[in-house]
Structures are given as C-alpha cells and as structure tokens.
Amino acid sequence: MSHPSENRMDSFASQNGESKATFQNRENTQNALTTVPTSVTLSAEQFERLYLSPMTVRQSSLAKKVGNPTPLALGGFVITTTPVSCCLMGWRGASGNGVAFIGPIIFLGGLLLLITSILEFIIGNTFPCVVFGTIGGFWFAFAATMIPAFNAAAPYSSSTTDTAAGLASESFMNTYAFLFITMAVLMFIFMICATRINVVYTLIFLSLLMVFLLLSAAYWQLGQGNASVGDRCVKGAGASLFVASLLGFYLLIVQLFGSIGFPCVLPVGDLAVLWTRNEDKEREDVEQPNAR
C-alpha cells in the first residue's frame, strides 16, 4: 500500500502537469546549499601589489587560501617609525633617540615584523620574508642595546655599569655607527630589488637608506665631539624616517583597500610592467634571428 503523503504528492504533481521525479528535483534544487569559493586567483599585478613580491613563476597555493600577512608588518612598521622619527627630530621637546619607545620597538616593531616574516616564508614569499625579518631583527637589537639588563652600552661608561652614560660615550658611538652602515648597505640592496615591484616600495627603502647613512654620520660626528653637526644629522635621519613612515602608511592603506575589495584603487607606480617589456623585447630579439 502506498503512503497517504505520497498519494497527496502524486496528486499535486499531476494537477500541475509535472511528473513526480520533476517535482522532487525542483524541491532538491531549492534546498541545495550555495557553494562559496574558498580560494581566489590573483593576476600578477594584483599579487605584487598585495604581497610586495614579484610573482615570477606561479602563485603559491597557500596564498590562495590564507590571509595576506603583509599589512601586519606595515602596521608594525609605521606605528614604530612614526614616533621614533618625531623623537629624532626633537618635536615637542622629545629626546633620548628612541629610548622612550623600547616597548613599542620590541612588541610592535620587532615582534610583528618577525611574525610576518615567518608567515611570508610559509606562503613562499622570499623577498618580503627577508625584508621584514631583517628589519624586525634590527628593532630587537636596537632595543636590546638600550636595555640595561643586556649590558651592551654600560661597559663604555666610566663606571662600566651606567647604560645611559655608555650610550652617550664617544667610543660607543664610534663603534655603533658601523651597524648603521651595514644596515644602509642592506637597504640599498632592498631598494634595487624593490624596483622590480613598485615606486612606493622603492622610495621607502631609499628613505631608509638615507636614515642609516645619516645616523652613521651623526654617531661619528658626535663621537668626534662635533655636537652641532651630529645633531643636524640626527634630525635629518628623523626627517627621512618620517618620510618612510608616511610612505608606509600609504602602502598600508593600499593593502587594506585591496584586502576588502574597496572600489578605489590607489596608484603605487607599478614597475613590473617595465621588466615585462624588457623581457618581451629580449625574447623578440632572440626569436627574430632564428626566424631569419
């Protein structure tokens, strides 16, 4: 015997001129779940804009599934460099060359950049991994030098126990300037690599290059007792760092706008197009003799 509900369904379907199978298919279609895409494929230009890394071969499979970690590093960068730059320029009577910002330097600058470096490594972005890892490591080292527990500058003081006096001693400044020179060389390398990506990223490294060159000059001048020249170099370094922080804020806005699909696309001066043109031209030069 057929069930009463089935008889009612057959009767309803027959009254509307539909078969039982057609009725059930339509019912299943109405109850079906909507499929939501779990990965997004980006163009080469979009990838380089969001990840600040050239997509030379192919887009990483993880990059399609996980979030973009790059804005995290940019946030840590700008929230650290901006107050430090204001301090170096002496705004509102600020002083101490960043001693007051040891906490932000460690937890906002060093830690966030180091975490981002690891995440960039996981998704296969080598260049951002190296950039964020080395700059984050520098912030850790810079903060550790100013913390008395590390006893880095105290031996340069007359009492060999006073960190503040050691940081201001001529011998310490003459020695520590070599770290700034090394960082300047590294920023120069990063700047050359950034010309493969966009103009804003390149200008950030150019500004950081000037920061470390001016800081090294300032420390050597202060180490030689030239306080007036040294102070001007410190303020120049602060101004360059402030420019880098403003560019970092702009790049952060670009990244966040892109992450949420904001309709306004801000220009960054994409330089990958120039490299692509050169590659296409070289390929044509190679193919033309073969065609002859």
Side-chain angles (χ1 to χ4, degrees):
M1 293 179 64
S2 60
H3 197 274
S5 61
E6 294 181 358
N7 293 332
R8 286 195 297 270
M9 184 181 297
D10 294 340
S11 176
F12 180 80
S14 60
Q15 289 176 2
N16 288 275
E18 297 177 345
S19 65
K20 179 179 179 181
T22 304
F23 181 83
Q24 290 179 341
N25 290 337
R26 179 172 295 182
E27 186 179 46
N28 292 335
T29 302
Q30 292 176 351
N31 295 332
L33 296 177
T34 303
T35 303
V36 179
T38 57
S39 63
V40 178
T41 301
L42 303 175
S43 65
E45 182 179 355
Q46 291 173 327
F47 184 87
E48 293 174 4
R49 175 189 290 266
L50 290 177
Y51 290 91
L52 300 180
S53 178
M55 193 173 69
T56 54
V57 182
R58 64 181 184 276
Q59 185 176 341
S60 170
S61 59
L62 275 177
K64 302 177 185 178
K65 299 178 181 179
V66 300
N68 179 17
T70 307
L72 178 63
L74 292 173
F77 174 78
V78 298
I79 205 170
T80 306
T81 55
T82 304
V84 171
S85 64
C86 296
C87 177
L88 293 177
M89 289 186 290
W91 286 1
R92 300 292 297 176
S95 61
N97 292 337
V99 176
F101 304 116
I102 292 179
I105 286 173
I106 294 176
F107 295 104
L108 296 177
L111 184 60
L112 290 185
L113 266 69
L114 183 60
I115 292 174
T116 307
S117 175
I118 296 173
L119 295 176
E120 296 282 4
F121 170 81
I122 292 174
I123 63 177
N125 292 337
T126 302
F127 183 52
C129 169
V130 176
V131 169
F132 300 144
T134 51
I135 295 179
F138 168 78
W139 280 127
F140 276 125
F142 185 72
T145 303
M146 297 184 291
I147 296 175
F150 283 88
N151 201 36
Y156 289 92
S157 64
S158 57
S159 62
T160 69
T161 57
D162 189 350
T163 298
L167 290 173
S169 65
E170 295 180 358
S171 55
F172 172 81
M173 291 185 176
N174 287 328
T175 305
Y176 204 73
F178 286 103
L179 175 62
F180 295 138
I181 284 292
T182 308
M183 288 297 297
V185 173
L186 190 62
M187 293 303 109
F188 179 75
I189 297 173
F190 289 165
M191 182 185 68
I192 298 300
C193 295
T195 58
R196 174 65 176 79
I197 303 173
N198 60 59
V199 174
V200 177
Y201 207 31
T202 304
L203 292 177
I204 289 177
F205 289 120
L206 176 61
S207 301
L208 293 178
L209 171 63
M210 296 304 301
V211 170
F212 289 114
L213 288 176
L214 288 170
L215 283 178
S216 60
Y219 270 54
W220 274 327
Q221 290 296 325
L222 292 172
Q224 297 299 320
N226 300 326
S228 59
V229 178
D231 289 340
R232 286 199 295 269
C233 289
V234 170
K235 290 183 179 180
S240 298
L241 188 60
F242 188 73
V243 171
S245 66
L246 292 181
L247 292 171
F249 270 113
Y250 180 80
L251 201 56
L252 176 62
I253 294 172
V254 172
Q255 294 264 310
L256 294 179
F257 278 12
S259 66
I260 62 175
F262 204 80
C264 178
V265 180
L266 299 177
V268 293
D270 181 37
L271 297 174
V273 179
L274 301 178
W275 291 83
T276 305
R277 288 177 181 174
N278 292 334
E279 292 174 359
D280 294 340
K281 185 177 180 181
E282 291 176 359
R283 191 178 299 108
E284 291 177 358
D285 294 340
V286 172
E287 292 176 353
Q288 285 178 356
N290 295 335
R292 294 175 185 174

